Structures are given as C-alpha cells and as structure tokens.
Amino acid sequence: MGGLSLKVPLLDLQHQYASIREDVLSAVTRVCDSQQFIMGPEVERLEAELAAALGVRHAVAVSSGTDAILVALMALGIGPGDEVITPTFSFFATAGSVVRVGARPVFVDVDPLTLNIDPARVINAITPRTRVIIPVHLYGLCADMDPINQVAAARGIHVIEDAAQAIGATYRGRPAGTLSDIACFSFFPTKNLGAFGDAGLVTTEDEVLASKVRLLRNHGAQPKYYHHLIGGNFRLDALQAAVLRVKLPHLASWNERRRANAGLYGDLFERADVTSRLHLPSEPQGMTHVYHQYVVRVPDRDGLKAHLASRGVGTEIYYPVPFHRQACFGHLVCAADTFPHADAAAAEVLALPIFPELTRAQQEHVVSSIAEWLG
Ligand SMILES: *Cc1c(COP(=O)(O)O)cnc(C)c1O
C-alpha cells in the first residue's frame, strides 16, 4: 500500500501560501513602500471589507483574538464584583480575559453532542452578579444562541460571542459574529482566516460599543495624548491587515473545502464500518459548521493518537484540561460543581487533519489508519 508512506500533517499552511504567494508579496511590498506600519489605510480597508463580508455594521480590528475578548469586556465595563459565564471547555483566552479585567468567571458544562455551552446549565449559573455570558462557537460550530440570548435579554445580561474558531459559520441563517451584543474573532495563523502573526477583530451592531472599542484599542486617547479611558495597545499592524485583505476573498471557498473534506470523512468512515466505535462530529439542523477542527471522540484517545503518529498522521487534543481543572482557576470552583461532559470530552477528543488543501488520498490514509487501529 502506497498509503503507508503518506504523511498527513494536522495542518499544512505551505499549500495555501503557494496559491496566493504573489498577491501576498505585492501587498507586503505596498506596506513596506508606505512605511506606515501601525493602523492606517490598510487596517481601515480591512475593517470595511470584513464588515461587508460578515454582514455586520461595525468591525474593529485589534491585535489578537485574546485582546478582542479583553477589550470587549472592557467596553462593557466589566470588572471586580461582576460574574461572567463561560463554558468550561474552550481555549484558555475565553476565561483568562475575564480574570484579567478583575471579574469572576463562572464555568458551565457543555452539551455532550456539540461540546458547546449548554443553555439549560447557563440558566442555573445565573446570579444577581452575572453581567455577561460568553458562548464559544467551538471547532467552527455555533453555540445554541437563541435560548442564551433570550435568558440574557430577560435579565439585562450582555452576550459576547467567542467566534475565534467560527468565521463564516451560520446559525439559523445568520452569520457568527452577528448573534450577540459584541463578537470576537481571531486571525491567529492556524485559524480559518489566518494572518502572518497575531491579529483579531471585534464586531458589533452597536455604535456606542464600537466607538468605545476603537478608543480603548489605542489607550483611550482621542485625539492623541488626550485620554478619556484607560485602554491598552490593542492596535493591528498594517502588514497583518494587508495579508488578511489578500486572504479574505478566498475564505468562503476555503471553508467550503473544509466542509467537503468533513463530508468525505463521513462517507469514508461509514464505508470502513467504524462509526459505531468512533464518534464523528455532526452539523445540527439550521447550522453551517466551518470545521476549524474536525474532532472525533474515542475512549482510548491517547492510544489512537500514538497509532496515528506511527502512521504519519498529525493530530491534536483541543483541549486536554477544562477550565475547572486548571491550576490558575483552582480557587474558582466549589466542591459541588461537576462538569461530567467536559471531563469526558477532555479525555476523548482528537482533532484530525481537515485543512482545505487535504487530498482524497490523504483522507483515505487517515481513515484506513483509524480502521486498522479499531480492528
Ligand atoms: C484562538 C482562540 C482565541 C484567542 O485568539 P488569539 O488570536 O490566539 O489570541 C480565543 N478563543 C478561542 C476559542 C480560540 O480558539
């Protein structure tokens, strides 16, 4: 079998770069020739293009996805004494940003099927101190936003989407990033739309919030050296904006390729007759999954990961430790809190290669290697 020598990395960014190299280099050259590196016209154009692509009124580019969450919390005035509800199963920044503004994250277990925050448990976690709920669209699938928005609206609680993994995803026909008061995206290089370094975005329909984020992004100064708020340096580089402007027009077709790859995995796993022993990701009705990650679940996850490594297949665990088990959050969890679904997920999840340029032969190699291990 020729497949045995095939290497399948978890992610291969070289392919994508090769397909847009000339455009990227001319955009980078344009910025170098201008010698304007911080904010400026490239960032303004990127913001306008992203606002149009996402169908949102205000798009404010920032320095990273983490800073997007931080500045969104700052813009809402969240601080000491406030509680912010987050899923316990996400990337660290979702909860870390809450602590950085002085507020208390309150962790909630996830839905066992989607691994997104469970709206029923959100309701139980609300107290008079709850100011914000941060649903995460994990792996590129939107959280169940309608019940969350309903309970939030009834209690005067804000909702911030962590859409870092979900650019292009939709929920009941509406795009991720337009489903809450304020939304956060990441353009970390491995994300579905990746810069050549750190970059992020805040989106909102609210004029006042957008102005506040713009002010906070640059030390609260307007004009320069006249400070209205205590913000930070959350500005975006012109070089990152220029690269993102080259990539943005390709995003929809790259996401389509990810979805097609997920569909092919489904067919191949079905044909290999392993779907009773391997839990595959699914796309609930009314949602468009953009497969930032294609995550399967299996009881002996570490065994499968090691086997795939021996067959040249790259995989990763997103995420091995839920928030309620992180050393730095130890003081936040009461003895009565339990998070069985997040704990099970942390033990069982494994992300397989799903990048747009993946070939059919590579996918067949991944599936036959998994079938071989399942026996
Ligand atoms: C990537 C990511 C972030 C943080 O984005 P950075 O750009 O790396 O700072 C936040 N939340 C989630 C869910 C992410 O996947």
Side-chain angles (χ1 to χ4, degrees):
M1 256 172 66
L4 289 177
S5 59
L6 202 59
K7 282 264 184 289
V8 192
L10 179 66
L11 175 64
D12 177 358
L13 286 171
Q14 290 292 349
H15 261 85
Q16 186 185 87
Y17 176 53
S19 73
I20 55 172
R21 186 172 178 277
E22 296 310 315
D23 291 344
V24 167
L25 292 180
S26 77
V28 166
T29 302
R30 187 174 69 229
V31 175
C32 293
D33 288 346
S34 78
Q35 287 293 296
Q36 179 159 10
F37 296 116
I38 307 289
M39 303 291 290
E42 291 288 347
V43 172
E44 282 166 26
R45 280 176 204 140
L46 173 69
E47 289 179 340
E49 289 159 9
L50 280 165
L54 293 167
V56 68
R57 193 160 299 147
H58 304 284
V60 185
V62 294
S63 34
S64 70
T66 302
D67 286 343
I69 301 169
L70 185 66
V71 79
L73 289 163
M74 290 169 79
L76 291 172
I78 306 307
D82 296 334
E83 291 181 358
V84 177
I85 293 174
T86 78
T88 190
F89 192 66
S90 177
F91 177 64
F92 181 75
T94 312
S97 306
V98 173
V99 180
R100 287 176 66 193
V101 296
R104 180 180 190 273
V106 173
F107 305 134
V108 165
D109 204 3
V110 292
D111 175 273
L113 212 62
T114 64
L115 302 187
N116 278 323
I117 195 165
D118 182 341
R121 288 186 168 83
V122 167
I123 292 164
N124 296 333
I126 291 173
T127 77
R129 289 173 180 265
T130 306
R131 297 279 317 279
V132 181
I133 304 166
I134 312 185
V136 179
H137 305 322
L138 199 70
Y139 306 144
L141 177 71
C142 286
D144 191 6
M145 295 299 292
D146 282 351
I148 294 169
N149 281 327
Q150 267 160 29
V151 70
R155 314 248 189 145
I157 297 169
H158 296 287
V159 179
I160 300 176
E161 281 164 87
D162 182 343
Q165 303 187 359
I167 192 161
T170 68
Y171 175 84
R172 302 196 170 151
R174 293 170 287 149
T178 68
L179 306 170
S180 61
D181 299 311
I182 185 161
C184 304
F185 291 92
S186 165
F187 304 126
F188 186 78
T190 62
K191 297 283 159 75
N192 288 27
L193 178 62
F196 282 14
D198 282 307
L201 183 76
V202 174
T203 58
T204 181
E205 291 297 309
D206 186 319
E207 174 82 51
V208 175
L209 273 179
S211 310
K212 223 166 161 193
V213 171
R214 287 183 193 283
L215 205 55
L216 289 163
R217 158 174 76 171
N218 196 14
H219 293 297
Q222 182 60 36
K224 225 176 186 180
Y225 310 125
Y226 292 79
H227 301 268
H228 304 269
L229 297 169
I230 300 170
N233 173 359
F234 308 130
R235 299 177 303 239
L236 184 66
D237 292 355
L239 279 168
Q240 300 307 336
V243 170
L244 288 167
R245 291 186 62 211
V246 171
K247 287 191 165 197
L248 180 58
H250 299 281
L251 175 65
S253 70
W254 289 335
N255 278 345
E256 273 312 312
R257 289 296 308 274
R258 286 174 183 271
R259 289 173 52 73
N261 293 346
L264 179 57
Y265 269 140
D267 293 346
L268 294 173
F269 282 125
E270 198 73 54
R271 224 175 301 162
D273 199 20
V274 295
T275 52
S276 60
R277 283 161 294 160
L278 184 76
H279 184 266
L280 304 181
S282 58
E283 184 178 66
Q285 188 124 54
M287 309 231 193
T288 312
H289 197 321
V290 291
Y291 294 98
H292 171 58
Q293 300 296 348
Y294 183 90
V295 174
V296 299
R297 293 179 64 168
V298 69
D300 181 14
R301 183 268 318 281
D302 295 337
L304 177 59
K305 184 171 182 19
H307 170 77
L308 288 175
S310 79
R311 293 292 182 271
V313 176
T315 60
E316 192 49 87
I317 299 163
Y318 303 110
Y319 295 91
V321 185
F323 294 158
H324 65 274
R325 296 194 184 277
Q326 294 289 354
C328 67
F329 295 144
H331 62 291
L332 295 169
V333 180
C334 344
D337 293 343
T338 60
F339 308 90
H341 300 306
D343 282 332
E348 295 177 0
V349 292
L350 192 64
L352 305 180
I354 192 69
F355 59 91
E357 299 80 10
L358 200 63
T359 66
R360 186 185 179 100
Q362 286 178 312
Q363 290 195 264
E364 284 169 348
H365 178 62
V366 172
V367 171
S368 65
S369 302
I370 291 174
E372 174 192 25
W373 182 78
L374 287 169

